[in-house]
Amino acid sequence: MSDTYISMNPEMEINKIGFGFLRLPQVEDKEDKKICDWDKINKLVDRYFELGGKYIDTAYTYLDGQSEMAVKKCVVERKPRDSFILSEKLPGYLCKSYEDCEKYFQEELERCGVDYFDVFMLHWLNQKNYAIAEKNDEFRFLREKKEQGLAKRIGFSFHDSAELLDEILTKHPEIDVVLIQVNFLDWDSAGIESGKCYDIVMKHGKKVFVMEPVKGGSLASLPEEAEEYLRGVHPDWTPSDWALRFVQSLPGVELCLSGMNELSHIDANLKKFHPFNEQEKDALFHVRGIIESQTAVPCTGCRYCVSHCPMNIPIPDFFKMYNEKKRYPQDGWKIIPTYRQMTQTCGKASDCIECHSCEQHCPQHIPIAEKILRVKYSFERDLV
Ligand code: SF4
Ligand code: SF4
């Protein structure tokens, strides 16, 4: 891992948690449609501000536009504009031309109820979307918004190889920040390349914003053996504390996004702490092996794949059950009836036609069709 890892002043107390508006609490309306739970979000926002938080992150596509609506209703209309930092993302991959960028930008300002963004990023750059961004001259669009004072800082969120990241930052030194996936489990992962991507952003002297520090919540609960080991180092730290503090201890990380939907999450995450020391870093990397040996599919539950499945297969739900079966094999028999019940109203694993359409939308680069086949063998063997 990077030698710069523990170069922060160990005496200093830090907290870099930003409020990610992707996993906001929702309720069902009279027509059974999911809508944001506005009262609850107000309470979460108030507590976040009381504890010193000031960073809100949203995107055009989050919660079908309700995330931006929550920014407007729960933050912009209730807090002074200079008391928070708002980051927004342009869905450049939906743009057909340069002119489309302006159309989405104006819509985003309107939806959020603001007249500028503190940070404005191209959303979800990977090989395919980067080609679209270059074709539409979307980096020029970012530069112009910065020159006009409508975007204080510019950047992009990224889901691809460290090699491509290096290529983009070399070609676009005007970028201020890069939002990448970093967590201790993916640090050396060949698919995510957290550590390599972090090193590339640092090499180019840009600020690192972090998404998925707890891997979609999957690092909030670890195999008992791993949790016991970590309790031996810090009896009062939860697995989430470990995951979030690891990321925030990285020099160059300005912000660590967390999707908090309970007051207890905010209370726990906003606590200040001393940056990691060597012993803490070693402890976390030690338990990584235990976690990997008991996780069959590294799905974060983001659900980006679900709407792209023509067979209506609830992919992340099946992966969650499959992981549980691997982690607690003695309880595997309990999962089969749940699977049988679920598949009354949705596709079964055996319905997969291996079209691979889901895989193009998976930020974790999971070979979904292959893993769904394993779910089939695991859960449908006994079904008649
Ligand atoms: S490969 Fe299978 S799971 Fe993925 S979209 Fe196609 S049918 Fe659905
Ligand atoms: S399979 Fe991939 S895209 Fe689908 S929920 Fe899991 S991590 Fe997200």
Side-chain angles (χ1 to χ4, degrees):
M1 110 167 278
S2 169
D3 292 339
T4 58
Y5 180 68
I6 54 167
S7 67
M8 290 177 94
N9 177 0
E11 300 306 317
M12 180 175 64
E13 284 202 311
I14 56 170
N15 191 281
K16 307 175 181 176
I17 295 291
F19 197 157
F21 269 31
L22 170 61
R23 294 185 167 97
L24 291 170
Q26 293 187 296
V27 287
E28 287 182 354
D29 68 6
K30 288 178 195 144
E31 283 130 30
D32 296 336
K33 195 174 150 237
K34 281 197 167 172
I35 56 161
C36 281
D37 184 341
W38 307 115
D39 287 343
K40 189 166 182 185
I41 298 170
N42 282 340
K43 288 193 182 100
L44 295 172
V45 166
D46 287 347
R47 180 68 65 88
Y48 175 67
F49 276 68
E50 269 165 39
L51 296 180
K54 59 180 181 183
Y55 197 102
I56 307 290
D57 177 79
T58 188
Y60 185 84
T61 48
Y62 289 176
L63 303 175
D64 293 328
Q66 286 197 43
S67 170
E68 290 167 317
M69 211 189 293
V71 169
K72 184 174 181 182
K73 280 170 81 108
C74 306
V75 183
V76 176
E77 291 177 353
R78 300 173 64 249
K79 310 283 175 193
R81 180 66 184 88
D82 61 1
S83 68
F84 60 91
I85 294 167
L86 177 59
S87 123
E88 172 66 284
K89 305 182 201 76
L90 180 81
Y93 51 88
L94 297 178
C95 295
K96 303 271 183 288
S97 65
Y98 181 83
E99 289 67 36
D100 274 0
C101 300
E102 185 65 32
K103 200 182 75 190
Y104 280 111
F105 184 74
Q106 291 303 329
E107 196 180 343
E108 291 181 319
L109 287 176
E110 166 96 27
R111 281 181 174 190
C112 293
V114 295
D115 48 16
Y116 71 91
F117 294 116
D118 299 279
V119 182
F120 191 59
M121 299 186 245
L122 291 181
H123 196 183
W124 199 305
L125 282 199
N126 55 19
Q127 194 80 48
K128 183 172 160 227
N129 295 342
Y130 176 50
I132 295 171
E134 290 293 26
K135 180 177 105 10
N136 293 335
D137 216 357
E138 293 173 6
F139 284 89
R140 175 162 69 89
F141 184 78
L142 291 188
R143 288 196 299 274
E144 286 179 2
K145 289 299 153 209
K146 189 173 174 182
E147 282 158 20
Q148 294 162 6
L150 299 175
K152 305 290 180 200
R153 291 195 286 169
I154 54 176
F156 58 85
S157 64
F158 186 76
H159 294 276
D160 211 307
S161 68
E163 192 184 349
L164 178 66
L165 182 57
D166 198 21
E167 183 188 326
I168 299 174
L169 287 175
T170 302
K171 190 159 178 208
H172 294 286
E174 69 271 31
I175 287 304
D176 301 305
V177 304
V178 186
L179 176 59
I180 52 174
Q181 175 168 326
V182 181
N183 56 63
F184 71 90
L185 196 63
D186 291 326
W187 189 260
D188 296 311
S189 137
I192 308 296
E193 299 192 327
S194 273
K196 281 188 186 167
C197 287
Y198 167 80
D199 285 340
I200 294 290
V201 183
M202 292 296 282
K203 182 182 96 173
H204 286 269
K206 308 301 176 190
K207 286 293 179 195
V208 183
F209 285 10
V210 170
M211 59 183 143
E212 302 289 8
V214 193
K215 211 167 163 54
S218 59
L219 299 179
S221 162
L222 305 180
E224 184 47 36
E225 190 188 339
E227 290 202 13
E228 196 181 320
Y229 187 88
L230 293 177
R231 275 198 297 272
V233 182
H234 281 297
D236 52 337
W237 285 19
T238 64
S240 291
D241 290 340
W242 278 96
L244 289 170
R245 292 172 185 194
F246 163 77
V247 167
Q248 293 177 78
S249 298
L250 291 162
V253 168
E254 180 178 319
L255 183 83
C256 173
L257 289 175
S258 175
M260 302 172 283
N261 46 32
E262 295 294 342
L263 287 174
S264 58
H265 297 163
I266 293 186
D267 290 343
N269 293 357
L270 270 284
K271 276 187 200 141
K272 290 199 167 184
F273 66 97
H274 295 291
F276 265 25
N277 57 34
E278 275 290 355
Q279 187 208 4
E280 288 159 346
K281 182 198 77 180
D282 289 348
L284 206 48
F285 277 64
H286 172 79
V287 301
R288 204 170 54 170
I290 301 171
I291 301 166
E292 280 166 352
S293 70
Q294 297 188 32
T295 305
V297 189
C299 170
T300 63
C302 68
R303 308 194 82 80
Y304 290 151
C305 54
V306 174
S307 62
H308 301 279
C309 176
M311 306 312 289
N312 192 25
I313 297 171
I315 299 164
D317 302 319
F318 285 179
F319 286 163
K320 186 162 182 244
M321 292 157 77
Y322 186 59
N323 281 339
E324 276 170 19
K325 190 164 179 247
K326 169 127 184 183
R327 191 175 289 182
Y328 308 109
Q330 71 281 11
D331 291 340
W333 61 272
K334 295 180 191 163
I335 294 173
I336 302 297
T338 312
Y339 179 83
R340 185 177 288 150
Q341 179 74 27
M342 269 179 85
T343 49
Q344 302 288 313
T345 53
C346 63
K348 298 194 290 294
S350 55
D351 292 331
C352 176
I353 53 173
E354 297 182 44
C355 65
H356 302 280
S357 140
C358 50
E359 292 171 7
Q360 294 163 34
H361 303 273
C362 178
Q364 309 304 321
H365 312 294
I366 295 169
I368 297 175
E370 179 202 318
K371 299 293 183 189
I372 283 288
L373 194 62
R374 291 180 192 217
V375 172
K376 174 182 128 177
Y377 290 136
S378 182
F379 292 167
E380 295 187 21
R381 231 182 355 214
D382 307 327
L383 296 183
V384 283

